[in-house]
Amino acid sequence: MKSSMLALGLLLAMGAAFASDVPKKPAPTMQQILDASKPSDWRPLDPNNTLYMDLPNGRVVIELDPAYAPLHAQNIRTLAHEHYWDGLAILRVQDNFVTQWGDPQAEAEHPTHKKSIGTAKDKIAPEFERDIDPKLPFTVLPDGDVYAPQVGFSNGFPAARDPKTNKTWLAHCYAMVGAGRDNAPDSGPGTELYVVIGQAPRQLDRNIALVGRVVKGMELLSALPRGTGALGFYEKASQRTPIIRVRLASDLQPAQRENLEVLRTDTPTFIALVESRRNRSDAWYLHKAGRIDLCNVPLPVREAKSK
Amino acid sequence: MKSSMLALGLLLAMGAAFASDVPKKPAPTMQQILDASKPSDWRPLDPNNTLYMDLPNGRVVIELDPAYAPLHAQNIRTLAHEHYWDGLAILRVQDNFVTQWGDPQAEAEHPTHKKSIGTAKDKIAPEFERDIDPKLPFTVLPDGDVYAPQVGFSNGFPAARDPKTNKTWLAHCYAMVGAGRDNAPDSGPGTELYVVIGQAPRQLDRNIALVGRVVKGMELLSALPRGTGALGFYEKASQRTPIIRVRLASDLQPAQRENLEVLRTDTPTFIALVESRRNRSDAWYLHKAGRIDLCNVPLPVREAKSK
């Protein structure tokens, strides 16, 4: 305290021309911004857009994004409601790329007993991009992007857009979940899902439907043993992690649901958070980047204080 | 075959004005480029810059980069030569960030029996960036970067540079290895090393010395259970993966060394590889990115055919 008082005294003595040299209060850290956030900076997960995937070691929570993938979200709700994934497995873990789960039979060369998809659809129109809509929130990031004319966040999801074509699409950042497909664009109905576990594979953007994001339990999918077959598929059935069950939160009683909130991305608090990561104020950083990549922006999730 | 013959016939009938519509041979895939590569497109690892870290589940091979971190490379050689890491452990695995190893005592609140670093140095001048040198190869990538004015590859390592300041530095891409430090810039002598296991944390660039890259065995570091303490440190000693030994390849007999080659990044073959990843020619890709991020470029490594 004493030295800053002294500095202020010196500056006053040197006159107003040096006012910009007044020692500034250090910029807040991300944690300080989160600590100072208001309840309205957060939103609860919508149970109708929230999946719980229970694995032997714990639960993965996935938030679906019906704004960008409404048809896929609806099909995935149906699949979860009808217990499609129960007893299926994690089939593929490719280092620095994706973890993928679904029906082992669907990946077999000669499938003999593929699990029925019940009343879900087998084909869905591609949802690789959609029209820009002024009603869809979009917080633009200031530092540009290698892959797209503009990037930012829409309802908590990393996204890109091209004002020239009026199109917008979700971006393949870490923890984003997509619907695997074969060569046909409509062949990914959401039965086989994948999550990004490495450097953002942005070349997949606009080629495949992203449907949501892992908001809890990511380490249960990222720390799995890598598959040794082609594309990281497990070569033996015994290597696969079984899926105990996948449920839609709205199919559970309210008391049985997770009570998570995500930070809204259309708030001044989020803009302050981005700034705190563009220019880290902790003493460790000798060189502040002054920039941030879309997929380096943290998207905080917390337990709500009460239901 | 028939339909393409027909298409060619139609084009000929329509005249030369449509010549650009003649179906082109599809661009080669990365695998086709590698299959067609010449022996001179590859270089063997220099045993004096190659570390073998043996873990209970296998071997990690790290290539040091003496062009960007000569002092750290020299200290790390000394540490390996004197068996510093033997019996130490992997201390930290933070999801989507880094895996870190070294002396558990060095991270303890009240260290009682820190391992001696022998004749290695305790402090090293920071090697966070270096001058651009025309003799240092640098293959520029064409698509820009969020963090730096220019990015590319130097001797097989992802790097960035700023022609205005005449500085260049290694980039924190997946699998890059750095020397952890405390707040003092000279406090990272290479005793505690980390490797990037998630989205490239480019905010670390120019803040800490990158010393090399994992060229084999990355999955032994990326698939470890995440630590549950602050910053991903393991909370119990029993959770740590022990390091059996770390050796410099040149300290082993030639017959005992790994026989790996890395693709040179200063060749037309590498430029063709980058192009094959900017515009994927496989039928699955409906939308070609036409761009690539520095940390999305694969850096192939192979077993040499003979010694």
Side-chain angles (χ1 to χ4, degrees):
Chain A
M1 183 59 95
K2 262 187 188 168
S3 65
S4 67
M5 288 291 281
L6 179 66
L8 185 61
L10 281 170
L11 283 162
L12 290 173
M14 288 188 291
F18 293 84
S20 67
D21 291 335
V22 173
K24 280 184 199 150
K25 210 173 134 185
T29 63
M30 180 170 79
Q31 192 55 53
Q32 288 165 338
I33 288 164
L34 294 176
D35 290 346
S37 66
K38 294 172 294 186
S40 59
D41 289 326
W42 301 80
R43 65 173 170 81
L45 293 182
D46 178 348
N48 200 37
N49 290 324
T50 306
L51 293 177
Y52 303 147
M53 177 161 69
D54 290 327
L55 302 175
N57 289 331
R59 172 170 286 182
V60 175
V61 181
I62 297 168
E63 183 183 19
L64 299 174
D65 185 355
Y68 278 84
L71 301 176
H72 283 82
Q74 185 49 46
N75 217 41
I76 288 168
R77 283 184 204 108
T78 302
L79 291 162
H81 184 69
E82 298 179 1
H83 301 184
Y84 171 72
W85 288 285
D86 298 14
L88 299 185
I90 293 172
L91 309 173
R92 173 191 187 193
V93 185
Q94 185 172 359
D95 196 56
N96 193 20
F97 194 45
V98 297
T99 290
Q100 191 166 324
W101 59 95
D103 183 358
Q105 281 289 317
E107 287 293 337
E109 216 170 322
H110 303 290
T112 52
H113 50 282
K114 267 177 72 171
K115 187 157 177 178
S116 162
I117 61 167
T119 68
K121 291 192 169 68
D122 190 33
K123 287 176 192 289
I124 296 185
E127 295 181 301
F128 305 161
E129 59 182 18
R130 55 158 289 169
D131 286 344
I132 293 175
D133 180 342
K135 281 176 284 182
L136 193 66
F138 195 90
T139 304
V140 177
L141 278 183
D143 302 315
D145 183 66
V146 167
Y147 291 90
Q150 202 175 65
V151 290
F153 292 89
S154 185
N155 291 324
F157 295 94
R161 56 186 197 175
D162 185 349
K164 279 190 197 162
T165 60
N166 202 44
K167 294 292 181 188
T168 179
W169 56 92
L170 293 177
H172 277 83
C173 294
Y174 195 87
M176 287 295 284
V177 175
R181 68 162 173 88
D182 298 327
N183 277 6
D186 62 356
S187 59
T191 46
E192 195 154 323
L193 297 171
Y194 65 91
V195 62
V196 174
I197 62 162
Q199 176 68 21
R202 299 283 307 280
Q203 73 279 3
L204 299 179
D205 290 4
R206 286 189 271 181
N207 277 299
I208 191 162
L210 284 167
V211 300
R213 186 172 82 89
V214 171
V215 293
K216 188 181 173 187
M218 186 59 204
E219 69 285 359
L220 299 170
L221 299 170
S222 61
L224 292 169
R226 278 46 179 157
T228 49
L231 304 175
F233 278 94
Y234 290 119
E235 295 179 276
K236 295 177 194 163
S238 63
Q239 295 169 319
R240 297 176 188 141
T241 300
I243 297 171
I244 299 171
R245 70 185 78 79
V246 175
R247 293 288 178 275
L248 192 65
S250 56
D251 283 342
L252 301 183
Q253 296 299 319
Q256 294 178 296
R257 296 177 195 157
E258 301 276 335
N259 198 12
L260 299 174
E261 294 179 329
V262 297
L263 190 72
R264 294 176 61 128
T265 51
D266 58 349
T267 60
T269 294
F270 181 70
I271 300 209
L273 178 148
V274 170
E275 185 51 35
S276 77
R277 304 297 277 196
R278 296 175 76 237
N279 289 294
R280 302 284 190 109
S281 62
D282 18 332
W284 189 89
Y285 282 91
L286 304 166
H287 172 87
K288 296 184 203 302
R291 332 255 317 154
I292 197 161
D293 183 88
L294 175 68
C295 296
N296 283 103
V297 176
L299 295 168
V301 180
R302 69 177 186 185
E303 298 280 339
K305 275 166 199 148
S306 61
K307 297 223 180 194
Chain B
M1 182 57 98
K2 262 187 189 171
S3 65
S4 67
M5 289 289 282
L6 180 65
L8 185 60
L10 279 169
L11 283 162
L12 291 173
M14 288 188 290
F18 292 85
S20 66
D21 292 333
V22 173
K24 280 181 197 152
K25 208 173 136 184
T29 63
M30 179 169 81
Q31 192 55 54
Q32 288 166 338
I33 289 165
L34 294 176
D35 291 346
S37 67
K38 295 171 294 186
S40 59
D41 289 326
W42 300 80
R43 64 174 170 81
L45 292 183
D46 178 348
N48 200 37
N49 291 323
T50 305
L51 294 177
Y52 303 148
M53 176 160 70
D54 289 328
L55 302 176
N57 289 329
R59 173 171 285 182
V60 176
V61 180
I62 296 168
E63 183 183 19
L64 299 173
D65 185 357
Y68 279 83
L71 302 177
H72 283 83
Q74 185 49 45
N75 217 41
I76 288 168
R77 284 185 202 105
T78 302
L79 290 163
H81 184 68
E82 299 179 1
H83 302 184
Y84 171 72
W85 288 284
D86 297 15
L88 300 186
I90 293 173
L91 309 174
R92 173 191 187 192
V93 185
Q94 185 172 358
D95 196 55
N96 193 20
F97 194 46
V98 297
T99 290
Q100 192 166 322
W101 59 94
D103 184 356
Q105 281 289 316
E107 287 294 336
E109 216 170 320
H110 304 289
T112 51
H113 49 283
K114 267 177 73 172
K115 186 155 178 179
S116 162
I117 61 168
T119 68
K121 292 192 169 66
D122 190 32
K123 287 176 192 289
I124 296 185
E127 294 182 303
F128 304 162
E129 59 181 20
R130 56 158 289 170
D131 286 344
I132 293 175
D133 180 342
K135 281 176 285 182
L136 192 65
F138 195 91
T139 304
V140 177
L141 278 184
D143 302 313
D145 183 65
V146 166
Y147 291 91
Q150 202 175 64
V151 289
F153 292 89
S154 185
N155 293 322
F157 295 94
R161 56 186 197 174
D162 185 350
K164 279 191 197 162
T165 61
N166 201 44
K167 294 292 181 188
T168 179
W169 56 93
L170 293 177
H172 276 84
C173 293
Y174 195 87
M176 287 294 285
V177 174
R181 68 162 173 88
D182 297 326
N183 278 5
D186 62 356
S187 59
T191 46
E192 195 154 323
L193 298 172
Y194 65 90
V195 63
V196 174
I197 61 162
Q199 176 68 21
R202 300 283 307 280
Q203 74 279 2
L204 300 179
D205 290 4
R206 287 189 273 181
N207 277 299
I208 191 162
L210 284 167
V211 301
R213 186 172 81 89
V214 171
V215 293
K216 187 182 174 186
M218 185 59 203
E219 67 285 0
L220 299 170
L221 300 170
S222 60
L224 292 169
R226 278 43 181 158
T228 49
L231 303 175
F233 278 93
Y234 290 119
E235 295 180 276
K236 296 178 195 164
S238 62
Q239 295 168 319
R240 297 176 188 140
T241 300
I243 297 170
I244 299 172
R245 70 184 78 79
V246 175
R247 291 289 177 274
L248 192 66
S250 56
D251 283 341
L252 300 183
Q253 297 298 318
Q256 294 179 295
R257 295 177 195 158
E258 302 275 336
N259 198 12
L260 298 175
E261 294 179 330
V262 297
L263 190 73
R264 293 177 62 128
T265 50
D266 57 349
T267 60
T269 294
F270 180 70
I271 299 210
L273 179 148
V274 169
E275 185 51 33
S276 77
R277 303 297 277 194
R278 297 174 76 236
N279 289 294
R280 301 283 189 109
S281 62
D282 16 334
W284 188 89
Y285 283 91
L286 303 167
H287 173 87
K288 296 184 202 304
R291 333 255 316 153
I292 197 161
D293 183 89
L294 174 69
C295 296
N296 284 102
V297 176
L299 295 169
V301 179
R302 69 178 186 186
E303 298 281 338
K305 276 169 196 143
S306 60
K307 297 222 179 194

